[in-house]
Amino acid sequence: MAGDEADALIAEQIDFYRADSAGYDRFLTSMLDPTNEAGADYRRILDWLGAFFSEAAPLGRVLEIGAGNGIVAERVAPFAHQLDLLDSSPESLAQAADRLSRFAKRVRCIERDVFTLDTPADRYDLVYFTAFLHHVPLARFDGFWNLLERLVAEGGWVLFDFPPEPTDPHPEELPASPSQEYRIYRARDGVSIRDLGGRRWRVTHVCWEPSDLATRLFALGWELQIEREDHWHVASARRRP
């Protein structure tokens, strides 16, 4: 995928997540309900993350990339001296600000597309992102990790999750007309199709096997460690000495 095509795809997926921000917030909020059996795995990983951040505390200055509606940030904020939430969707950041209002003095929302963040103004002890790595086009992968190198302070680290295999909640063939209801279709060549409200978008969907990801990051100067193996792996990465 050429650079211009990757830029167009990034713009399209930003537009999708802005359009779906309210529905996605309702969906994730419903997954937090203890009576929602479908959300059991989601709640389990949130509990694991909360315990992980607690054990790693104090976290110092922290940045979340693709912060969305702030559900994960709620598990981080109690242990961070400063927490910056970066997202390209003002709608999602408004949800995050509301959700984290009790931490308002140490939480800052930054509306920005991370792929245009060439010269970071700040450096962080921890940079983390969830459900985001698979949205990084292969043509932007090296540049993204080079940006992380500039974002992470000396001795700092990165935490993230990633799906090792494609997930196909709606694997049927793509219909000719977009669905009114939300649909995600089988990922092909690193791109999945999303329907919502009679519109259709392309969204980056790149899956990584741990060994392939470790090899790619090693070549860029990073050491990868798998912290949790599941249908979504959790990994940490630090710069090699």
Side-chain angles (χ1 to χ4, degrees):
M1 181 183 294
D4 290 345
E5 186 178 353
D7 290 343
L9 185 57
I10 289 167
E12 200 166 331
Q13 69 184 18
I14 288 173
D15 186 57
F16 167 74
Y17 277 107
R18 291 194 63 183
D20 190 39
S21 62
Y24 195 49
D25 181 62
R26 287 193 298 271
F27 169 72
L28 289 181
T29 301
S30 74
M31 299 282 275
L32 299 177
D33 184 344
T35 65
N36 183 350
E37 294 183 6
D41 286 341
Y42 183 63
R43 294 191 298 275
R44 192 174 299 114
I45 186 62
L46 286 176
D47 290 344
W48 184 91
L49 284 170
F52 184 90
F53 289 129
S54 175
E55 186 174 342
L59 300 178
R61 300 192 71 247
V62 181
L63 172 68
E64 180 176 7
I65 295 174
N69 62 8
I71 285 180
V72 177
E74 277 192 297
R75 276 72 183 170
V76 179
F79 311 111
H81 174 71
Q82 173 72 35
L83 175 57
D84 286 352
L85 306 181
L86 180 72
D87 203 285
S88 54
S89 167
E91 296 85 357
S92 295
L93 286 175
Q95 296 159 2
D98 182 64
R99 182 167 272 115
L100 293 155
S101 59
R102 66 190 183 280
F103 302 110
K105 290 184 178 180
R106 48 185 153 150
V107 173
R108 178 174 60 163
C109 293
I110 304 171
E111 183 188 334
R112 186 73 184 269
D113 171 15
V114 68
F115 297 107
T116 66
L117 194 65
D118 295 327
T119 307
D122 299 296
R123 302 188 77 185
Y124 299 90
D125 302 297
L126 167 64
V127 177
Y128 76 95
F129 41 95
T130 63
F132 185 80
L133 185 66
H134 65 293
H135 289 324
V136 178
L138 286 176
R140 292 286 176 262
F141 184 88
D142 290 5
F144 176 70
W145 282 92
N146 289 336
L147 169 65
L148 291 176
E149 181 180 357
R150 300 194 298 276
L151 282 168
V152 173
E154 185 176 354
W157 54 298
V158 178
L159 186 77
F160 61 98
D161 61 8
F162 64 99
E165 297 178 355
T167 54
D168 296 316
H170 295 285
E172 67 267 20
E173 292 301 315
L174 187 69
S177 299
S179 170
Q180 288 292 327
E181 297 180 353
Y182 172 73
R183 291 287 186 273
I184 174 174
Y185 300 98
R186 187 188 305 274
R188 301 179 188 277
D189 300 322
V191 177
S192 66
I193 302 297
R194 314 290 178 95
D195 284 355
L196 180 67
R199 295 180 60 190
R200 178 164 288 167
W201 294 264
R202 299 173 305 153
V203 174
T204 308
H205 199 120
V206 178
C207 295
W208 289 92
E209 286 297 331
S211 59
D212 294 336
L213 182 60
T215 299
R216 182 75 175 259
L217 291 181
F218 188 86
L220 296 175
W222 293 89
E223 193 79 38
L224 182 74
Q225 178 173 323
I226 301 297
E227 304 288 352
R228 174 187 170 94
E229 292 188 42
D230 207 330
H231 56 287
W232 279 70
H233 292 345
V234 180
S236 60
R238 298 177 186 268
R239 292 293 300 172
R240 295 203 318 276

